[in-house]
Amino acid sequence: MNQATKRVLLLLAGGLGLAALQQQLLLRRPPRLLELQASSASSGPAALDLRFSRPMLRASLERDSALKPPLAWRWLGEGNPLRLLLRPGQTIPGPLTLLLAGVDRRNLPLPRQRWRWDPRPRLLAVVPVPGGEQLQLQRRDGSWQPLTPVWPQLAQVMPLGNGSGVALLSGNDQGSHQLWLLPLQQRNLVRAPQTLSEPRPGQLQPLSSAPLLFAHLSSNQRGDLLVQSATAALDPGSTVLRRVQGGEVAIPQSATGPMQLLPEGGGLVVPELEGLTLHNLPGQPSRRQVLPGSRELSSFCPVSGRALLVRHWPDYRRSLELVEPGQPPRQLWIGGEAVLASACDRGGERVWLVVSDWARGSHPQLLALDRRGQLLQQRPLTGWEVEPGAPLLFDPSSQQLLLTLRSRARATEAAQPVLIEATTLELRPQAKPVRLALWLAAG
């Protein structure tokens, strides 16, 4: 064997030895948390998604981790990634502390970590101020933070579903509108000793180059934004999807009313002459499903694929229907009253709707139903009027509903945000004059 061959063999042996040593070092390296982010919970008040460098023993995370205050929770998944889900029916009283610990499948421990987490949404409001209207946000201490300039009118406000910003449609005195995006930086999940902080508004960004006659906005939990708009009365209009990753995609479908993005992403509900249709977003296989009849989408439920529809009957009655994947719509309520708003918990286990009998002077009532349509509670909203166009929104973290109401005794004054206990239907009016109140998701 010559010297050159010996050197090659020695180099090969050295390389193999180094590779074996590196492999042993990697095998003995403890697991690391690569990613921790808030997730849109499908069946509970809040959730976190975790991704590790190595598959973890879920049983060890359940045993060694802790949550303060001690709420009920569970882990979903096997190995990696995993989801931490707070069990439904609980109220989150304030910021949470997560102590994260466990071992991987080689029994190597994850370095103990402490995180601060506040999954509660924040209250947004369109507030009448001198000179017009302004978007404001309620801080945790109850004070209000202005987020935008004052415009003569804020025609629409759409919080992005991932909490990263708010889309706004401002209007002037001549009926012209401008579309804007207000980015928001939130710090609702930080590793100790960092601290949580209030959202910080970024630079207001114009989204429309020409003045608009109207626009309708919709967002999903990813943070995508759907914009239906027109610039003139005879303009057929256009529909554009602004993706959260950047870029715009034209939506070819025509509609007889406002389109709505599915909360989980991937599709949209389109009202057409023959009924409600479900379409995939561009970039996915073409799909069109039709639900015939005179129906309109009222609200989505947190669990994927569930929604509440209002059906209009030839005898002028309305009914509220729960739709679930693979099943025909289930009628929960029917009557001669108008359905002003609705909301549901999880997959429709509990449903709330606001109805009003216009024939008897528009006396709104709040009804609570179960998923079979059985009436659980009924509360007349005596002395109140529902602000036109105000949605009924459910917050699973506080077990409260949000509705914008106006006092009949002070009909010339602004409306108020009213928090409603979901179980007792007790009203808690907030001392803030507004035109519209909404939830901003904790990003």
Side-chain angles (χ1 to χ4, degrees):
M1 184 181 297
N2 56 37
Q3 291 296 326
T5 302
K6 289 182 178 179
R7 283 197 295 271
V8 171
L9 292 174
L10 287 173
L11 288 174
L12 288 173
L16 291 172
L18 181 59
L21 178 61
Q22 289 176 335
Q23 184 179 22
Q24 290 299 316
L25 291 176
L26 289 174
L27 288 173
R28 296 179 182 179
R29 186 176 183 179
R32 292 171 294 127
L33 177 65
L34 299 180
E35 187 176 20
L36 176 65
Q37 61 181 11
S39 171
S40 56
S42 60
S43 59
L48 293 173
D49 286 337
L50 302 92
R51 187 168 62 88
F52 302 90
S53 61
R54 291 186 177 276
M56 302 293 293
L57 285 179
R58 197 178 74 180
S60 70
L61 291 168
E62 294 171 345
R63 180 187 65 243
D64 300 333
S65 300
L67 196 64
K68 298 180 181 179
L71 299 176
W73 58 338
R74 61 173 176 154
W75 290 86
L76 302 178
E78 289 295 335
N80 193 27
L82 295 171
R83 171 171 288 187
L84 186 159
L85 179 68
L86 299 186
R87 292 188 178 274
Q90 303 180 96
T91 298
I92 300 176
L96 307 175
T97 298
L98 171 63
L99 303 175
L100 189 62
V103 299
D104 65 12
R105 291 178 177 175
R106 302 159 301 153
N107 209 38
L108 293 178
L110 176 77
R112 294 180 65 86
Q113 301 178 20
R114 182 187 298 266
W115 291 81
R116 294 283 288 165
W117 177 32
D118 194 346
R120 299 171 297 166
R122 295 174 182 270
L123 191 58
L124 279 176
V126 176
V127 180
V129 295
E133 296 180 334
Q134 183 181 52
L135 185 68
Q136 297 185 10
L137 178 144
Q138 188 181 47
R139 300 184 180 96
R140 294 301 188 201
D141 63 4
S143 62
W144 289 83
Q145 173 187 1
L147 296 179
T148 66
V150 176
W151 286 294
Q153 180 191 26
L154 265 175
Q156 279 204 47
V157 176
M158 177 54 61
L160 301 186
N162 63 352
S164 63
V166 183
L168 308 155
L169 187 68
S170 64
N172 59 24
D173 297 328
Q174 287 75 43
S176 179
H177 296 85
Q178 174 72 45
L179 187 61
W180 308 86
L181 178 64
L182 177 68
L184 289 173
Q185 181 181 358
Q186 298 202 54
R187 286 173 55 86
N188 297 317
L189 178 62
V190 297
R191 186 169 179 178
Q194 301 179 69
T195 57
L196 304 169
S197 62
E198 300 289 346
R200 294 171 51 189
Q203 184 69 34
L204 199 62
Q205 304 171 10
L207 296 184
S208 54
S209 56
L212 301 176
L213 177 66
F214 78 89
H216 174 75
L217 310 175
S218 176
S219 183
N220 57 26
Q221 293 170 349
R222 299 175 182 175
D224 300 324
L225 177 67
L226 185 75
V227 181
Q228 291 173 264
S229 63
T231 57
L234 299 180
D235 179 9
S238 63
T239 304
V240 174
L241 177 68
R242 296 179 55 88
R243 296 192 183 276
V244 66
Q245 302 92 343
E248 295 185 355
V249 180
I251 301 295
Q253 283 82 21
S254 59
T256 59
M259 302 183 190
Q260 298 285 346
L261 289 172
L262 296 181
E264 64 274 11
L268 72 161
V269 178
V270 181
E272 300 183 24
L273 290 176
E274 57 188 300
L276 289 178
T277 60
L278 180 63
H279 297 260
N280 279 344
L281 293 178
Q284 301 181 14
S286 178
R287 177 182 65 159
R288 182 178 183 269
Q289 295 177 296
V290 182
L291 182 61
S294 180
R295 291 178 168 95
E296 61 183 87
L297 176 65
S298 182
S299 57
F300 288 108
C301 301
V303 173
S304 174
R306 276 75 170 175
L308 297 175
L309 308 180
V310 175
R311 184 172 185 179
H312 301 267
W313 294 87
D315 60 359
Y316 302 104
R317 292 182 303 166
R318 288 107 173 158
S319 61
L320 188 74
E321 300 175 333
L322 173 67
V323 293
E324 302 175 277
Q327 299 184 27
R330 178 187 304 166
Q331 182 174 289
L332 303 180
W333 174 91
I334 187 168
E337 299 93 334
V339 179
L340 303 184
S342 70
C344 48
D345 178 21
R346 302 178 66 195
E349 282 78 6
R350 288 185 296 171
V351 171
W352 302 270
L353 70 155
V354 181
V355 299
S356 181
D357 189 349
W358 302 109
R360 292 190 292 177
S362 178
H363 295 287
Q365 295 189 73
L366 177 61
L367 310 180
L369 312 172
D370 65 14
R371 64 180 294 107
R372 299 184 303 276
Q374 180 179 350
L375 180 63
L376 302 177
Q377 287 174 291
Q378 180 173 352
R379 180 176 186 122
L381 299 177
T382 306
W384 296 96
E385 293 180 354
V386 179
E387 189 70 3
L392 179 66
L393 303 172
F394 175 64
D395 170 29
S397 70
S398 64
Q399 295 292 303
Q400 292 184 119
L401 298 156
L402 172 64
L403 185 61
T404 308
L405 297 176
R406 182 186 299 271
S407 171
R408 284 179 174 269
R410 301 186 298 274
T412 59
E413 298 181 7
Q416 296 174 261
V418 177
L419 297 176
I420 305 170
E421 295 293 334
T423 53
T424 65
L425 302 188
E426 177 187 355
L427 272 60
R428 296 174 49 206
Q430 307 297 294
K432 179 69 175 179
V434 305
R435 184 176 60 79
L436 181 67
L438 301 165
W439 291 125
L440 172 69

